[in-house]
Amino acid sequence: MRKKLYNCIMPKVKVNGKIIEVEKGSRIIDFVHDRQYFAAQIDNELRDLSTEITQDCALKLIDITTEHGKRIYWHSTSHIMAMAVKELFQEAKLAIGPAIDQGFYYDFEVDKPFSPGDLEEIEKKMREIIKKDIPFEHIFLEKKAARDFFQNRQESYKIELINEIPEEKISLYRNGDFTDLCRGPHVPKTGFIGVFKLLSLAGAYWRGDVQQKMLSRIYGVSFPTEEELADYLEKIEEAKKRDHRKLGTELELFSIFEEAGAGMVFWHPKGAILKRIIEEYWMDEHIRAGYEIVSTPHIAQSTLWHRSGHFDFYRDHMYTLSVADQEYVLKPMNCPGHILIYKSKIRSYRELPIKYAELGTVYRDELSGTLHGLLRVRSITIDDAHIFCRPAQIEEELCKALKLAIKMLNKFGFEHLRIDLSVRDLNQRDKYMGSDEEWERAEQGLISALNRVGLDYTRQEGEAVFYGPKIDIKLLDALGREWQATTIQFDFNLPKRFTIEYMDQDGIHKEVIVIHRAIYGSLERFIGCLIEHYGGAFPLWLAPVQVMVMPITSKENKYAEQILKKCIGRGLRAKIDEKSEKINYRIREAEIKKIPYIFVVGPKEVEKKTVSVRQRGRKDLGEMELKKAFNLIKTEQGGEN
RNA sequence: GCCGGGAUAGCUCAGUGGUAGAGCAGGGGUUUUGUAAACCUCAGGUCGGGGGUUCGAAUCCCUUUCCCGGCUCCA
């Protein structure tokens, strides 16, 4: 009786803020007909639209505009792609197919990797599947049944995944004959996917493990409308215009020559001056912050690298050479050099902290497939420093280092920083050097420094290197890919290997704390990110050429040369363009080269002893006295000149 | 290193078995120009390197270097 009464109650459902009454047991899709919504969130849980409503609840309908929405949409598209692949290539084995930040991928094991031609076939098949509007059915199987199911289909990767699922009920999704292991949720039917594009092919190891089989990965992206897809593709095209490799050539900043070898950067004058400015700023900040500048050789005897342990754990990346029958190593890191300087005499606790800094160029034999313009090279200028301190100084030093890093990154306009705290995997303690006490103290130090500086960070379990925990700060390139710049790392390895000590107040030799830290990370990578960050339009203080002086006709050349001289005397990086091209042509050229200021001088200016100033992005600012132009430049943000 | 795709003039690209092309950039000339492209003209490439197939190769095959997108690695 009571049950019956209960059955009559119409659950009240708050849908995106509006309350409606629905029949008990009805599915969300029964009362939500707007096709832009394809999933729902009930009490913070993402659900399919086939979810039955049995009681009062609040639900938020999900569309493509939210992060969750994108993920669901793309994940569903990846299922459709996998379905298409299975129809075209029966022997393909399914691995995994998640949504990612900008789309989705699916990994398959196939005898012959896919070719670009295959993608067209797959796209065609996908369009058919979408047109058929096949429902996504959520089904559950007992673990054993699920295993048998995939065993019958010879989907060994799925079985491997099932074996790692703790729950007994295994969640799967079915579209017609295609069934995939999946937590969901999904769009209700394949027809909910509007337009999509398969973007690229790649090899990918199963579980990212080099020892495992290489799978074929297909990347793609999807959107409700053609416009959104076109927008997305256009955004990528726009981003490619900021590619530092493209701008590096256009702005004559650097080259990498096939003849010289991969990963070796040759800085042209404009790039070299940019690098120099960045180095000078670094030098200035470091000397102010109590660092002492050191300089160490590029090669050292291999015995040093045996002692440091690099021969044991970094051999694959090292270039060795023989010099007068001795084996030498082209330095892959600066640390041993700095340690030798530290160890050159007995150190008192009074001297600590000692902070040695060096813009040291190191050489690493990086895997050829990983090289990427300036962002991954083999000759790497690291803005390296080693902080030697007492345990009691750890937190203070970390704080200072972090503050310095943030200050310097902000100076270059990097505001939104992705910060990671990498700690050890507690289940694999034997993988790491150092005692529990050392690890805990270091980790605490890193955390409290992060808190004191007020930084948000992500804790990365098991991402620490074997010799200590670390903080990393990542920069983004034009396409949103992350590149590690700043790193602050503890080292529990080198102090022991080199017995680096200090004489403490109590007259006892104690092991010193060693913290490695780099702010730019590598000058090459940093400049690569910087070029993309500014799209080549560097702020005044970084611009390789700050002012271009342009006489309108050759009659003004003499006056223009005087102006140029005054600019240079003023410390500005200025050039003159006396080509007999029209002024429009030369202005266009200077704009393309992204020069911040153009001083145009014609008969008027000669007569009135003025210049006409054109500022990048703001066009003609009109005629003014040179003094006023200099003041204008001086007041421009970051323009110390 | 692995998987896929590439490499043609300084740059961007066209050219799929029959005498290597365009635009921009560069040199010379004309033009003396007022805030994003004046005009004429010239030069420039053993088609990334090496080997092979062919009467004949930029084009087909092999190999190697380098580049691009990923995987992996990492600053």
Side-chain angles (χ1 to χ4, degrees):
Chain A
M1 181 68 192
R2 188 179 159 80
K3 196 179 170 196
K4 200 172 173 192
L5 184 70
Y6 181 75
N7 263 337
C8 296
I9 293 169
M10 302 271 280
K12 288 191 180 63
V13 184
K14 198 169 165 187
V15 182
N16 283 3
K18 247 202 230 149
I19 294 174
I20 56 169
E21 282 194 343
V22 301
E23 234 167 86
K24 183 169 158 50
S26 60
R27 301 172 309 160
I28 301 169
I29 198 163
D30 296 333
F31 55 87
V32 172
H33 302 294
D34 187 342
R35 297 265 297 193
Q36 71 167 301
Y37 299 114
F38 48 76
Q41 196 168 359
I42 308 176
D43 304 328
N44 272 332
E45 214 180 307
L46 294 168
R47 308 293 293 268
D48 292 322
L49 290 191
S50 57
T51 304
E52 292 180 1
I53 300 297
T54 52
Q55 54 187 332
D56 293 356
C57 63
L59 60 90
K60 206 173 106 195
L61 296 173
I62 305 275
D63 63 14
I64 190 82
T65 59
T66 63
E67 279 310 303
H68 289 315
K70 285 191 177 82
R71 297 218 159 237
I72 292 166
Y73 199 82
W74 288 334
H75 189 190
S76 295
T77 317
S78 97
H79 272 234
I80 293 169
M81 179 172 78
M83 186 174 172
V85 167
K86 287 296 278 187
E87 284 187 26
L88 293 165
F89 307 85
Q90 280 84 9
E91 75 292 350
K93 281 193 189 182
L94 302 169
I96 52 166
I100 51 176
D101 288 351
Q102 305 209 10
F104 60 87
Y105 68 77
Y106 212 112
D107 285 346
F108 305 92
E109 185 194 315
V110 279
D111 295 336
K112 197 174 132 280
F114 299 115
S115 69
D118 295 333
L119 290 190
E120 285 173 34
E121 289 298 303
I122 296 167
E123 286 189 340
K124 211 170 120 194
K125 185 61 81 179
M126 287 173 73
R127 272 190 279 274
E128 286 171 21
I129 293 167
I130 289 171
K131 207 165 172 195
K132 283 185 197 155
D133 207 15
I134 303 163
F136 275 84
E137 291 176 71
H138 196 185
I139 50 180
F140 289 94
L141 287 179
E142 294 298 327
K143 199 175 234 169
K144 176 154 186 326
R147 254 195 300 254
D148 290 346
F149 178 84
F150 285 111
Q151 186 67 54
N152 284 336
R153 300 187 169 214
Q154 305 192 336
E155 295 286 7
S156 49
Y157 295 101
K158 294 296 171 189
I159 294 170
E160 201 177 320
L161 293 170
I162 289 170
N163 288 339
E164 286 166 23
I165 297 175
E167 291 87 34
E168 270 310 307
K169 282 236 183 274
I170 302 297
S171 160
L172 304 110
Y173 275 81
R174 180 166 67 201
N175 305 89
D177 296 334
F178 176 80
T179 305
D180 199 356
L181 174 69
C182 184
R183 206 178 285 128
H186 278 288
V187 301
K189 289 171 159 195
T190 57
F192 273 68
I193 302 302
V195 293
F196 65 89
K197 188 170 172 64
L198 301 186
L199 298 168
S200 62
L201 288 164
Y205 301 103
W206 169 238
R207 310 227 135 158
D209 182 348
V210 194
Q211 309 297 332
Q212 303 261 20
K213 193 154 183 132
M214 177 151 287
L215 308 170
S216 281
R217 175 173 298 180
I218 304 175
Y219 284 92
V221 72
S222 57
F223 292 98
T225 64
E226 289 284 356
E227 290 73 44
E228 284 159 288
L229 177 65
D231 278 356
Y232 168 84
L233 295 174
E234 201 190 306
K235 251 168 99 181
I236 292 179
E237 284 311 307
E238 280 303 308
K240 282 184 185 160
K241 288 185 189 155
R242 301 212 313 270
D243 189 314
H244 75 281
R245 292 164 298 194
K246 186 174 157 68
L247 288 169
T249 307
E250 286 171 8
L251 303 177
E252 301 174 273
L253 300 173
F254 67 92
S255 292
I256 294 170
F257 300 106
E258 179 175 352
E259 193 179 0
M264 306 294 170
V265 181
F266 290 76
W267 295 99
H268 295 216
K270 291 194 177 95
I273 189 78
L274 174 64
K275 182 160 174 269
R276 180 68 190 266
I277 296 159
I278 294 168
E279 287 172 349
E280 278 170 3
Y281 169 64
W282 178 90
M283 194 69 82
D284 196 48
E285 287 291 344
H286 280 70
I287 290 170
R288 268 178 224 267
Y291 287 81
E292 295 176 286
I293 308 301
V294 296
S295 181
T296 65
H298 288 219
I299 62 171
Q301 295 198 73
S302 60
T303 46
L304 180 70
W305 303 97
H306 280 291
R307 180 160 189 192
S308 69
H310 286 92
F311 253 94
D312 302 330
F313 61 80
Y314 211 70
R315 184 72 184 86
D316 292 347
H317 293 287
M318 282 158 44
Y319 297 106
T320 55
L321 52 159
S322 77
V323 179
D325 287 340
Q326 289 276 359
E327 189 182 27
Y328 275 71
V329 172
L330 200 44
K331 68 172 171 182
M333 294 187 187
N334 297 302
C335 354
H338 293 190
I339 288 168
L340 290 181
I341 296 171
Y342 178 92
K343 272 175 67 77
S344 63
K345 65 176 200 174
I346 293 175
R347 303 291 179 175
S348 155
Y349 73 94
R350 290 201 184 90
E351 288 178 83
L352 302 181
I354 287 174
K355 301 192 267 194
Y356 291 150
E358 173 178 15
L359 288 161
T361 303
V362 300
Y363 300 85
R364 298 179 184 173
D365 186 12
E366 297 293 342
L367 293 178
S368 59
T370 66
L371 300 175
H372 187 102
L374 292 178
L375 300 180
R376 179 173 303 284
V377 295
R378 286 183 173 147
S379 62
I380 314 163
T381 310
I382 297 187
D383 64 318
D384 218 346
H386 292 89
I387 299 169
F388 301 89
C389 70
R390 291 182 277 126
Q393 295 169 318
I394 288 177
E395 193 179 321
E396 186 63 26
E397 286 309 315
L398 288 174
C399 236
K400 283 184 181 166
L402 257 184
K403 275 187 187 155
L404 182 62
I406 299 298
K407 177 184 179 188
M408 291 180 66
L409 294 175
N410 287 346
K411 171 85 177 175
F412 292 94
F414 294 114
E415 307 280 353
H416 305 287
L417 303 166
R418 159 81 194 268
I419 303 176
D420 288 329
L421 168 69
S422 296
V423 297
R424 66 184 167 159
D425 180 351
L426 286 171
N427 297 320
Q428 299 189 53
R429 288 178 199 225
D430 51 343
K431 240 178 69 180
Y432 302 93
M433 296 279 305
S435 64
D436 283 350
E437 191 204 336
E438 283 175 304
W439 276 87
E440 276 151 28
R441 184 174 63 199
E443 193 181 316
Q444 266 324 303
L446 292 169
I447 291 171
S448 52
L450 283 164
N451 290 337
R452 268 174 63 185
V453 184
L455 299 170
D456 290 330
Y457 63 93
T458 312
R459 190 184 167 89
Q460 305 283 4
E461 304 288 345
E463 286 300 307
V465 269
F466 74 91
Y467 51 78
K470 59 172 182 169
I471 291 171
D472 294 322
I473 302 181
K474 287 165 177 153
L475 303 180
L476 301 180
D477 69 14
L479 287 171
R481 294 174 290 205
E482 287 184 356
W483 297 90
Q484 185 176 313
T486 303
T487 185
I488 301 177
Q489 320 187 335
F490 274 86
D491 193 323
F492 307 138
N493 177 44
L494 292 175
K496 291 181 181 64
R497 285 181 172 268
F498 283 93
T499 46
I500 335 177
E501 301 178 326
Y502 62 97
M503 174 67 82
D504 206 356
Q505 205 163 4
D506 54 14
I508 295 171
H509 287 286
K510 292 183 185 163
E511 192 175 285
V512 77
I513 303 289
V514 172
I515 300 167
H516 306 265
R517 45 109 291 179
I519 291 174
Y520 299 139
S522 103
L523 266 291
E524 290 77 11
R525 174 177 293 178
F526 187 79
I527 294 172
C529 287
L530 196 64
I531 293 168
E532 304 202 356
H533 177 67
Y534 286 124
F538 299 108
L540 187 73
W541 75 288
L542 291 169
V545 177
Q546 297 170 307
V547 179
M548 183 63 82
V549 184
M550 281 184 200
I552 290 199
T553 76
S554 53
K555 294 190 189 73
E556 294 85 39
N557 280 3
K558 209 172 149 202
Y559 178 69
E561 280 156 26
Q562 287 168 12
I563 297 291
L564 173 72
K565 233 179 226 169
K566 284 183 184 157
C567 290
I568 292 170
R570 189 73 192 190
L572 288 167
R573 292 182 292 276
K575 290 203 183 288
I576 189 162
D577 185 355
E578 292 178 327
K579 274 198 297 286
S580 85
E581 293 287 352
K582 284 176 73 175
I583 194 73
N584 286 346
Y585 178 90
R586 285 175 285 153
I587 283 173
R588 178 181 143 82
E589 250 186 342
E591 289 282 348
I592 287 168
K593 296 288 182 195
K594 302 182 195 295
I595 294 167
Y597 286 95
I598 301 171
F599 288 178
V600 177
V601 294
K604 268 193 305 190
E605 288 79 6
V606 173
E607 197 191 325
K608 294 197 254 171
K609 298 264 172 275
T610 55
V611 293
S612 280
V613 178
R614 183 185 168 106
Q615 191 180 10
R616 184 182 61 202
R618 291 203 203 156
K619 307 212 167 171
D620 192 359
L621 302 183
E623 206 182 325
M624 61 185 83
E625 285 182 13
L626 191 58
K627 202 188 258 175
K628 194 178 163 205
F630 285 152
N631 280 335
L632 189 78
I633 289 177
K634 198 173 162 184
T635 52
E636 184 181 331
Q637 197 197 6
E640 276 89 14
N641 288 291

